[in-house]
C-alpha cells in the first residue's frame, strides 16, 4: 500500500530545497546533500510513495540497498555507528530495530557525536508466519527453543538437537519439517528474537536449569541462545522481503517478521499464535502478546539547526497526525504509544532533548 496523499504532501512540504541546503552547507564547509536517513527498513515499512516523493524534494531517505545515495548499504545501528561522526558523508538520522546500547553511545562520543536524540515512535510485535496455504501453528517459546537450539535437554541430558519435525517437539504441532528463517546476527530483531523467544523458551522448557548446572552460569546462559547450524535454522541478512521470498520458494518454511510487515502481506502469509495469543495492534498495545519491541530512530543533535528541515522533519514525524491512533503509520502496523508517552516525546523533540 502507498501512504495517503495528505501525509505524503505534508512530509514532502517540509523538505528543504537543494538550494537552501546548499547555501548552509557551504557556509559550514560541508557537502551539499539531502536529509539522510539510514538503517533497516523493518522498524517501520516506510511506503515507497513517501520515499520517492521526498527524494524528489532533496530529502534523501537512505535505506539499505544499491541505490543508497552517497552511502554504502548497511543494516541498523551497526552501520550507523561505523560512520558515527559529524560532517562530510555522515547521516542525520538512523533507524533502529533495537535500542542503542551504552557501549555504542560511548563509541559515538569517541567519534565526535556527543549528543544523540532518541525518538521512540511506538511499538511493533515480532510474529511467526508461514505460507498462506500452509498448516496452522500455535507456538510457545519452548517450542521455538526446542526446534532451533543447538543443544536441548532430552530425558534430563543435554544433547545435540535431534528434532527434525515440529511434531517431534509436541504431538499437537503439525507433522512438518522444521525450517525457520530468522533474522541474521547483524539485525536488532535478532536480539529481540533471542531474548524474548529462544531464551524465554529455554527457561519455559526447564532446559536453562539443566544447561547451567552442566556448563556453568555464563556458558549455560549462552547455550540457551545458541542456534543449530544444520540447516534447520537459516539466518536472513536481508530485510523481510527476503524472508518472504524464501517462504515462497520453500513452502514448509516459517519466518520471523515484524507485525507491520505481516499486516501488509496477509494475502501471502498466515500468522501463528504465541502462548495462545494472536498478534495484533490490540494485543501488542495491551501487553498481552509476549513478543513486542519499541520502534525508534536516532538523530545527531549537532545537525539540528545546521541541516535545513531536519528539526521540522522530526517534529512532523512524531506528531499525532503521523504516529497517533488515527495517523497513517498506524495503517502500516505501528502500535501507537499511549497519549502521555507521545506528548512527552513531542515535548522532548521540540526541546531537542538528548539521551
Amino acid at each position: 500500500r502507498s501512504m495517503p496523499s495528505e501525509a505524503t504532501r505534508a512530509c514532502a512540504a517540509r523538505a528543504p530545497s537543494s538550494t537552501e541546503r546548499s547555501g548552509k552547507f557551504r557556509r559550514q564547509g560541508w557537502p551539499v546533500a539531502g536529509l539522510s536517513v539510514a538503517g533497516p527498513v523493518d522498524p517501520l515499512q516506510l511506503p515507497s510513495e513517501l520515499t520517492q516523493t521526498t527524494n524528489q524534494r532533496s530529502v534523501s531517505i537512505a535505506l539499505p540497498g544499491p541505490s543508497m545515495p552517497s552511502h554504502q548499504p548497511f543494516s541498523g545501528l551497526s552501520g550507523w555507528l561505523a560512520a558515527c561522526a559529524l560532517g562530510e558523508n555522515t547521516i542525520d538520522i538512523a533507524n533502529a530495530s533495537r535500542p542503542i546500547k551504552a557501549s555504542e553511545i560511548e563509541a559515538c562520543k569517541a567519534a565526535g557525536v556527543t549528543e544523540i536524540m532518541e525518538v521512540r515512535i511506538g511499538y511493533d510485535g515480532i510474529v511467526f508466519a508461514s505460507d498462506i496455504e500452509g498448516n496452522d501453528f500455535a507456538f510457545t517459546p519452548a517450542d521455538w527453543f526446542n526446534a532451533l537450539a543447538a543443544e536441548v535437554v532430552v530425558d534430563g541430558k543435554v544433547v545435540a538437537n535431534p528434532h527434525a519435525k515440529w511434531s517431534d517437539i509436541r504431538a499437537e504441532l503439525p507433522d512438518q519439517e522444521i525450517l525457520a528463517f530468522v533474522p541474521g546476527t547483524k539485525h536488532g530483531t535478532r536480539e529481540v528474537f533471542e531474548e524474548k523467544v529462544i531464551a524465554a523458551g529455554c527457561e519455559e522448557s526447564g532446559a536453562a536449569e539443566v544447561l547451567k548446572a552442566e556448563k556453568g552460569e555464563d556458558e549455560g546462559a549462552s547455550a540457551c541462545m545458541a542456534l543449530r547450524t544444520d540447516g534447520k535454522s537459516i539466518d536472513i541478512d536481508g530485510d523481510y522481503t527476503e524472508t518472504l521470498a524464501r517462504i515462497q520458494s520453500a513452502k514448509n518454511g516459517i519466518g520471523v517478521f515484524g507485525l507491520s510487515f505481516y499486516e501488509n502481506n496477509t494475502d501471502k502469509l498466515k500468522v501463528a499464535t504465541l502462548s495462545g495469543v494472536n498478534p495484533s495492534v490490540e494485543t501488542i498495545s495491551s501487553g498481552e502478546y509476549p513478543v513486542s519491541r519499541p520502534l525508534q530512530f536516532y538523530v545527531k543533535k549537532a545537525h539540528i539547526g545546521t541541516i535545513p528541515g531536519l528539526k521540522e522533519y522530526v517534529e512532523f514525524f512524531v506528531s499525532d497526525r503521523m504516529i497517533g491512533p488515527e495517523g497513517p503509520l498506524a495503517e502500516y502496523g505501528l502500535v501507537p504509544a499511549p497519549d502521555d508517552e507521545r506528548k512527552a516525546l513531542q515535548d522532548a523533540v521540540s526541546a531537542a532533548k538528548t539521551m
Side-chain angles (χ1 to χ4, degrees):
R1 296 179 291 177
S2 58
M3 176 169 282
S5 57
E6 178 190 1
T8 303
R9 289 194 299 270
C11 191
R14 285 158 174 76
S17 69
S18 57
T19 301
E20 178 186 6
R21 180 155 182 166
S22 171
K24 183 160 284 192
F25 261 146
R26 286 177 180 144
R27 287 195 296 274
Q28 296 290 330
W30 288 6
V32 177
L35 178 62
S36 179
V37 183
V41 181
D42 60 287
L44 190 62
Q45 291 296 313
L46 287 172
S48 60
E49 182 181 343
L50 173 63
T51 301
Q52 293 165 1
T53 302
T54 53
N55 272 335
Q56 291 169 4
R57 303 295 185 88
S58 299
V59 178
S60 175
I61 305 299
L63 299 172
S67 62
M68 180 183 288
S70 73
H71 294 283
Q72 294 298 314
F74 59 74
S75 295
L77 288 170
S78 60
W80 183 47
L81 293 169
C84 198
L86 301 175
E88 186 175 0
N89 294 325
T90 70
I91 68 169
D92 306 313
I93 299 172
N95 288 334
S97 52
R98 61 162 173 81
I100 193 171
K101 297 177 180 178
S103 60
E104 293 166 337
I105 294 174
E106 292 304 313
C108 267
K109 287 181 178 178
V113 181
T114 58
E115 295 184 295
I116 300 172
M117 297 166 57
E118 181 178 65
V119 182
R120 183 165 293 182
I121 61 173
Y123 299 88
D124 188 18
I126 303 300
V127 307
F128 309 96
S130 51
D131 185 75
I132 188 70
E133 302 295 336
N135 290 312
D136 293 330
F137 282 88
F139 290 121
T140 66
D143 294 334
W144 278 95
F145 169 77
N146 282 313
L148 299 191
E151 295 179 301
V152 296
V153 176
V154 178
D155 297 330
K157 297 180 180 180
V158 178
V159 299
N161 196 329
H163 302 132
K165 295 183 177 183
W166 290 102
S167 55
D168 293 341
I169 298 165
R170 274 195 302 123
E172 295 86 354
L173 292 172
D175 183 29
Q176 178 174 312
E177 292 289 330
I178 295 171
L179 178 60
F181 300 109
V182 304
T185 55
K186 294 180 180 179
H187 287 267
T189 309
R190 173 63 168 258
E191 294 183 24
V192 179
F193 174 68
E194 287 179 339
E195 293 172 7
K196 294 196 173 185
V197 180
I198 301 298
C202 187
E203 292 283 350
E204 183 180 81
S205 68
E209 184 178 353
V210 179
L211 286 166
K212 290 175 183 179
E214 180 171 312
K215 297 175 178 289
E217 190 73 21
D218 292 342
E219 190 176 341
S222 296
C224 266
M225 293 193 291
L227 302 188
R228 63 199 296 183
T229 58
D230 59 355
K232 297 294 185 183
S233 176
I234 298 176
D235 284 7
I236 300 297
D237 291 326
D239 60 22
Y240 292 144
T241 58
E242 182 181 345
T243 305
L244 176 60
R246 293 292 193 98
I247 289 174
Q248 290 176 323
S249 62
K251 299 294 187 180
N252 63 322
I254 298 174
V256 178
F257 298 95
L259 175 70
S260 55
F261 185 90
Y262 160 70
E263 290 196 333
N264 280 287
N265 290 277
T266 54
D267 58 328
K268 304 178 187 72
L269 294 169
K270 175 186 293 187
V271 76
T273 62
L274 188 66
S275 300
V277 181
N278 193 61
S280 67
V281 169
E282 292 73 25
T283 58
I284 291 170
S285 180
S286 68
E288 183 182 3
Y289 186 73
V291 189
S292 63
R293 61 176 175 177
L295 297 176
Q296 59 275 306
F297 58 85
Y298 295 89
V299 184
K300 295 174 182 176
K301 183 179 177 180
H303 287 200
I304 297 287
T306 299
I307 308 304
L310 176 59
K311 187 171 189 291
E312 293 80 4
Y313 176 86
V314 177
E315 287 179 340
F316 173 68
F317 205 112
V318 303
S319 67
D320 284 349
R321 182 177 173 185
M322 284 295 286
I323 64 172
E326 304 302 320
L329 297 188
E331 297 182 24
Y332 295 94
L334 175 72
V335 178
D339 292 349
D340 57 346
E341 189 175 322
R342 289 200 314 279
K343 178 63 167 60
L345 169 65
Q346 291 157 0
D347 291 344
V349 166
S350 181
K353 184 178 179 181
T354 60
M355 301 178 68

